[in-house]
Amino acid sequence: MPANPGGRSDLQNWLSDTLEPVLGHVPEFDDDGDLPIQFDTGTVFVTVDDDDDLIEIFSPVVADIGKTDYAAFVVHALNHSYPILKFALHGKMLMLRAYLYADPPVEAHLFRCLDECRTVFQDAQEIADDVSGRLAWSPEPESSTDDDLPTLIQILVQLDAGGEVELSDEEVARICGHDREAILRYIRIVEQQMINWRNSADEALTSGDSDEAEVCLHEAEGWAKTARDLRGALRAVALG
């Protein structure tokens, strides 16, 4: 009998059951099937390729690399130091990715891969300094109003607001000009908006204003949807 008779859903369930004790909460896959795992200085995304019984892990590590020629040497050194992970340059961005065969899935292999990712992000600032770049997940200044948001984010928000057509990963990537670094920057901005609205909802609940809290949570969910769209676009551009 195949190890994953249910395909994608069975493998996602296995990931959830395996990672829950480690993460301390039930992992949640987004609408694109990505499971974000947060480290101190970055986030990796875990996804399932049910066609080939693969678990895929990917993340940007360093952006805006200045020493691109030297970065090629750094990539070679990283690939030697982390045998499970695969590092590559995409323009001025350093990406990591890994593929784990999952027929059957092996818990020890997953944990070793995530441990290597954790170590990479612990050293990410040093790597960024070495290639004259910056941490890909470094925070952006908060945007206080919609007028402060980049035009492309405002476009995505308006398209999401219609709710009539679900944008594909490729369509969102095309709207963003297939620009990896721009998409990553948009993700940070959008996720900060989501956090701001959730904080506002908490404040409203604390003050006893449940109606205002409901409005804030609705706004937060809208930003969460835009973040999921952008993560799908990042995957399409960086790994497609």
Side-chain angles (χ1 to χ4, degrees), residues 57-85:
I57 298 172
F58 67 95
S59 178
V61 181
V62 178
D64 295 337
I65 293 174
K67 300 177 181 177
T68 52
D69 290 340
Y70 178 66
F73 169 78
V74 173
V75 166
H76 177 77
L78 288 169
N79 282 325
H80 180 74
S81 299
Y82 298 95
I84 295 180
L85 306 180

Side-chain angles (χ1 to χ4, degrees), residues 185-196:
R185 182 167 64 89
Y186 298 155
I187 291 173
R188 290 195 300 268
I189 293 172
V190 166
E191 288 187 337
Q192 186 60 58
Q193 289 287 331
M194 178 186 67
I195 291 170
N196 291 346

Side-chain angles (χ1 to χ4, degrees), residues 2-63:
N4 298 311
R8 185 183 186 90
S9 60
D10 274 6
L11 201 45
Q12 286 182 331
N13 290 337
W14 180 86
L15 283 168
S16 293
D17 292 342
T18 302
L19 291 172
E20 181 179 357
V22 178
L23 300 178
H25 60 83
V26 178
E28 294 185 7
F29 289 87
D30 63 24
D31 291 346
D32 295 312
D34 296 333
L35 171 62
I37 297 179
Q38 181 72 47
F39 296 117
D40 288 342
T41 58
T43 300
V44 297
F45 298 102
V46 182
T47 191
V48 171
D49 185 340
D50 51 310
D51 291 335
D52 297 316
D53 286 323
L54 289 175
I55 295 171
E56 181 180 357
I57 298 172
F58 67 95
S59 178
V61 181
V62 178

Side-chain angles (χ1 to χ4, degrees), residues 13-239:
N13 290 337
W14 180 86
L15 283 168
S16 293
D17 292 342
T18 302
L19 291 172
E20 181 179 357
V22 178
L23 300 178
H25 60 83
V26 178
E28 294 185 7
F29 289 87
D30 63 24
D31 291 346
D32 295 312
D34 296 333
L35 171 62
I37 297 179
Q38 181 72 47
F39 296 117
D40 288 342
T41 58
T43 300
V44 297
F45 298 102
V46 182
T47 191
V48 171
D49 185 340
D50 51 310
D51 291 335
D52 297 316
D53 286 323
L54 289 175
I55 295 171
E56 181 180 357
I57 298 172
F58 67 95
S59 178
V61 181
V62 178
D64 295 337
I65 293 174
K67 300 177 181 177
T68 52
D69 290 340
Y70 178 66
F73 169 78
V74 173
V75 166
H76 177 77
L78 288 169
N79 282 325
H80 180 74
S81 299
Y82 298 95
I84 295 180
L85 306 180
K86 176 66 176 177
F87 295 84
L89 284 176
H90 294 272
K92 295 183 178 181
M93 182 176 292
L94 172 65
M95 297 282 300
L96 73 77
R97 65 194 301 183
Y99 290 104
L100 301 176
Y101 290 103
D103 188 13
V106 179
E107 181 177 295
H109 294 173
L110 175 64
F111 287 163
R112 182 183 175 190
C113 185
L114 292 176
D115 282 343
E116 287 201 358
C117 290
R118 180 182 292 106
T119 302
V120 168
F121 280 109
Q122 287 173 348
D123 297 335
Q125 185 61 65
E126 182 179 346
I127 297 171
D129 293 342
D130 203 23
V131 297
S132 296
R134 62 173 177 80
L135 294 177
W137 293 98
S138 58
E140 291 281 331
E142 293 185 13
S143 297
S144 57
T145 68
D146 286 349
D147 291 338
D148 296 327
L149 297 172
T151 300
L152 288 178
I153 290 182
Q154 295 186 50
I155 291 173
L156 288 174
V157 169
Q158 290 303 315
L159 291 173
D160 275 341
E164 298 175 357
V165 179
E166 187 76 17
L167 294 173
S168 68
D169 294 348
E170 177 56 34
E171 286 172 331
V172 177
R174 189 161 63 247
I175 290 171
C176 297
H178 291 86
D179 187 328
R180 300 178 186 88
E181 296 188 21
I183 293 171
L184 183 60
R185 182 167 64 89
Y186 298 155
I187 291 173
R188 290 195 300 268
I189 293 172
V190 166
E191 288 187 337
Q192 186 60 58
Q193 289 287 331
M194 178 186 67
I195 291 170
N196 291 346
W197 281 106
R198 286 179 176 172
N199 289 341
S200 296
D202 290 341
E203 292 172 2
L205 284 174
T206 300
S207 65
D209 192 341
S210 58
D211 290 339
E212 177 65 17
E214 184 176 350
V215 171
C216 292
L217 287 174
H218 178 75
E219 290 288 343
E221 179 53 36
W223 286 110
K225 168 64 168 59
T226 303
R228 290 193 295 269
D229 290 345
L230 287 165
R231 285 198 296 270
L234 179 64
R235 183 179 62 251
V237 172
L239 304 180

